[in-house]
Amino acid sequence: MESDATPLLELVGVSKSFGGVEALRDVSFTLRAGEIHGLVGENGAGKSTMMKIIAGVHTDYAGTYRIGGAEVHFRSARDALAAGIAMVHQELSIVPDLTVAENVFLGKQPTNRLGIVHWREMVRQAREQLASLGIDVDPNQRIGDLPIGLQQLIEIARVLFSGARIIILDEPTSALSPPEIERLFAVLRRLRDGGRSIVFISHFLDDVLRVSDTVTVFRNGRRVFTSPASETSKSVVIERMIGAGHEELEESYTSDFRLESRPDAPPVLETVGLSLARAYRDVSLQVHAGEVLGIYGFMGCGQVPLARTLFGKLKPDRGAVRIGGSPISLRNTSAARRAGIAFVPESRRSMLFHLEPVYKNTSISILDRISSLWLKPGRERQLAQMHVERLRIRPPRVDALLGSLSGGNQQKVALAKWLSFPPKVLILSEPTRGMDVGAKDEVARIIRNLRDEGLAVVVVSTEPETVLSLADRILIMKKGGIVREFANEVVSKDRLLEAA
Ligand SMILES: Nc1ncnc2c1ncn2[C@@H]1O[C@H](COP(=O)(O)OP(=O)(O)OP(=O)(O)O)[C@@H](O)[C@H]1O
Ligand SMILES: [Mg+2]
């Protein structure tokens, strides 16, 4: 019998290692019925690993797992799903070639008596469920054609409306902008009030504290702290996450930021009246040597296609791009690279090779830019080792396969690529997505160093915190146009949100 005192879900003394890496050590964790449980911790702390045990993805572990007091040991994610446990993974798992509706109903399409998929019903339900998250898309559209943030929301919708009683969201908000996050939170609260239990993993500590009933901190494979969210604070949570040095990190997370323009330098990259149908229009901007320009806007405001245009991935319909004062045609990405423009996109998947070791992943850009003669044997690893230390990539082994790294650590590798051979203009889309507070701070330091060496940096993000902490000057994009500039003034998250 399930009594009130019996937690809905309980892990006792759970340990898990991958080869020599101990990802979880003797972890105990409790989830109650009808609670939102926030889970935080540095990159590689073991959050995803624990959730994958709960969701039946990792089946080989030590320790006890109980649901409603009864011991279970799932053999597959399907087993866990049958027991009412569903998970949104950190890496998208949508099927790009299927339609939106098919993705929402992946594996559980409504069928009629004869077992035939009821298409019209499926499209109708998909539309309704998506609408409650504020998503207005045609369910018949191919999902791969949609922006990544929308894909993420659709994946979330699939899990939220799957009927599961335990819902695990592993960094669901990393591609979402504030209005979408608010709608998501409203749905989470509604599900919670209806008795569902939700685990919410995120590096945005304010969000976690705001939406959760209970907060748990992981550190180094151990659960080190659990508290009602209302009885703890961000500074306590950061302290539990990283220990020494937390005061300094909190410092960089205060609410007001003073923007200071850098000493006058000529524009390195300039656009004049750049337009692309259905993406952005009439964009004129300048990026100077030695400055970080932030471009902020909500999801779908046009900043992603703009960034892709600057790297030669999309062709504008009208307008001009100038580098160092001369017009340039960015016909393709090699043309952009030859012009000294580098680009780190928001989706790490597209740029990384999961089955290759870390050191290869940090040096690919070098390999295709300059002759391999330059790379003496051993030099490649040596450079990689330097980046691994500089960015505190965990585990600190250049031979580790990229696919074995935690999500945030993979993102650091994506950035590391460009550090050994800095370009003239570095365009970063969501550069710190998925990184913990310490890593974000480290990346900020690196970006500032590159800027001080004279690089022009463009940071494009839907996260106000990211542009605020990185940029010297901020442009706001809204519905495809630049609507406002913030320079030489004090700004806050609220002011950015208001303008966007
Ligand atoms: N499939 C795997 N093979 C080998 N090692 C792994 C694998 N999955 C995770 N690890 C290791 O286990 C540890 C915990 O990783 P995990 O993905 O659980 O971290 P996390 O807390 O989710 O981090 P992040 O915030 O970066 O997502 C890390 O050291 C990671 O490299
Ligand atoms: Mg993770």
Side-chain angles (χ1 to χ4, degrees):
M1 265 302 290
E2 212 169 301
S3 80
D4 277 354
T6 313
L8 174 60
L9 178 155
E10 197 179 11
L11 297 183
V12 184
V14 166
S15 297
K16 162 85 190 159
S17 42
F18 296 99
V21 180
E22 261 197 303
L24 293 177
R25 303 173 212 205
D26 196 20
V27 170
S28 296
F29 174 79
T30 300
L31 181 67
R32 283 175 290 129
E35 77 166 341
I36 301 180
H37 197 127
L39 193 56
V40 300
E42 286 188 285
N43 295 133
K47 305 179 295 294
S48 297
T49 303
M50 186 178 80
M51 289 306 126
K52 285 178 182 168
I53 288 176
I54 292 178
V57 177
H58 293 317
T59 56
D60 176 23
Y61 60 90
T64 309
Y65 178 1
R66 294 195 197 102
I67 291 194
E71 189 162 344
V72 292
H73 195 127
F74 298 131
R75 294 283 152 219
S76 66
R78 191 178 285 263
D79 272 8
L81 203 55
I85 302 171
M87 174 165 174
V88 176
H89 289 270
Q90 204 167 0
E91 300 292 341
L92 283 178
S93 62
I94 50 124
V95 184
D97 281 328
L98 296 183
T99 65
V100 170
E102 285 169 316
N103 270 283
V104 170
F105 285 98
L106 211 58
K108 54 177 175 61
Q109 288 101 333
T111 50
N112 66 14
R113 280 181 300 120
L114 302 172
I116 294 167
V117 174
H118 200 317
W119 288 100
R120 205 145 20 110
E121 183 54 22
M122 187 165 102
V123 168
R124 191 192 65 76
Q125 285 185 28
R127 198 187 302 275
E128 200 178 285
Q129 296 176 356
L130 294 172
S132 75
L133 282 170
I135 316 169
D136 178 24
V137 290
D138 176 4
N140 294 306
Q141 220 179 327
R142 183 181 168 274
I143 199 168
D145 296 333
L146 298 171
I148 191 154
L150 258 185
Q151 295 182 17
Q152 191 179 27
L153 268 174
I154 292 163
E155 178 157 3
I156 292 171
R158 174 173 93 215
V159 170
L160 291 185
F161 300 107
S162 65
R165 60 176 167 160
I166 296 175
I167 296 166
I168 301 169
L169 302 171
D170 195 348
E171 278 193 58
T173 58
S174 59
L176 307 183
S177 50
E180 284 102 30
I181 292 175
E182 287 319 308
R183 279 190 291 256
L184 171 63
F185 284 3
V187 175
L188 293 186
R189 291 189 182 106
R190 215 165 65 218
L191 289 168
R192 187 249 339 252
D193 295 343
R196 312 293 179 86
S197 303
I198 295 155
V199 178
F200 178 74
I201 301 180
S202 170
H203 290 290
F204 290 99
L205 305 179
D206 291 317
D207 285 351
V208 173
L209 286 167
R210 193 158 54 90
V211 75
S212 305
D213 302 300
T214 310
V215 176
T216 284
V217 178
F218 266 57
R219 181 168 174 188
N220 245 329
R222 295 180 192 276
R223 182 177 62 81
V224 293
F225 180 71
T226 296
S227 162
S230 58
E231 289 167 24
T232 189
S233 65
K234 191 154 114 181
S235 70
V236 169
V237 167
I238 293 181
E239 198 254 307
R240 297 301 166 115
M241 277 174 65
I242 58 178
H246 64 97
E247 292 92 352
E248 195 188 323
L249 281 177
E250 281 168 52
E251 193 86 345
S252 59
Y253 274 73
T254 50
S255 51
D256 285 348
F257 289 77
R258 165 159 287 285
L259 297 176
E260 267 168 71
S261 285
R262 311 278 301 162
D264 262 350
V268 180
L269 174 75
E270 204 175 348
T271 72
V272 186
L274 217 54
S275 297
L276 175 60
R278 288 193 306 278
Y280 55 81
R281 61 180 186 287
D282 204 19
V283 172
S284 299
L285 58 82
Q286 300 188 328
V287 198
H288 302 261
E291 84 164 342
V292 181
L293 175 70
I295 302 181
Y296 172 73
F298 295 156
M299 197 177 89
C301 73
Q303 84 276 57
V304 173
L306 176 65
R308 292 167 66 87
T309 303
L310 297 179
F311 189 53
K313 278 201 179 260
L314 287 176
K315 256 183 106 64
D317 299 331
R318 259 177 303 117
V321 179
R322 292 192 202 130
I323 292 269
S326 344
I328 176 166
S329 152
L330 300 175
R331 263 167 292 113
N332 48 40
T333 58
S334 354
R337 249 188 288 183
R338 271 196 306 276
I341 303 173
F343 179 52
V344 181
E346 61 287 350
S347 64
R348 42 186 171 245
R349 261 199 185 171
S350 62
M351 273 193 86
L352 296 172
F353 298 87
H354 283 237
L355 297 175
E356 295 280 358
V358 165
Y359 81 89
K360 287 233 155 115
N361 273 287
T362 59
S363 69
I364 283 161
S365 69
I366 302 178
L367 289 179
D368 73 9
R369 277 186 72 118
I370 53 178
S371 102
S372 50
L373 284 177
W374 191 78
L375 270 184
K376 301 206 181 68
R379 178 74 179 135
E380 200 179 7
R381 275 161 199 270
Q382 211 182 330
L383 267 176
Q385 189 62 46
M386 196 183 80
H387 298 319
V388 161
E389 279 158 24
R390 205 170 164 190
L391 288 169
R392 286 189 268 205
I393 292 171
R394 293 284 172 271
R397 292 184 15 239
V398 296
D399 291 310
L401 290 190
L402 185 93
S404 75
L405 264 53
S406 77
N409 279 294
Q410 292 185 16
Q411 183 71 356
K412 294 187 209 170
V413 173
L415 185 66
K417 274 185 180 189
W418 296 106
L419 301 181
S420 25
F421 207 85
K424 276 189 231 162
V425 183
L426 180 58
I427 301 168
L428 303 163
S429 184
E430 308 292 357
T432 55
R433 176 178 291 170
M435 290 187 185
D436 63 52
V437 280
K440 277 182 179 148
D441 203 56
E442 192 59 36
V443 166
R445 224 190 322 269
I446 287 167
I447 290 177
R448 276 184 217 115
N449 282 344
L450 292 170
R451 169 198 73 188
D452 293 343
E453 286 162 21
L455 224 77
V457 183
V458 182
V459 170
V460 174
S461 179
T462 56
E463 304 167 355
E465 296 86 350
T466 302
V467 275
L468 284 170
S469 61
L470 296 175
D472 301 311
R473 186 161 62 90
I474 298 173
L475 299 177
I476 307 288
M477 257 184 112
K478 187 174 180 174
K479 294 182 181 152
I482 289 175
V483 293
R484 182 148 193 194
E485 173 178 57
F486 289 99
N488 291 313
E489 59 195 300
V490 173
V491 280
S492 61
K493 184 171 168 176
D494 287 345
R495 287 193 72 201
L496 289 195
L497 289 180
E498 245 167 67

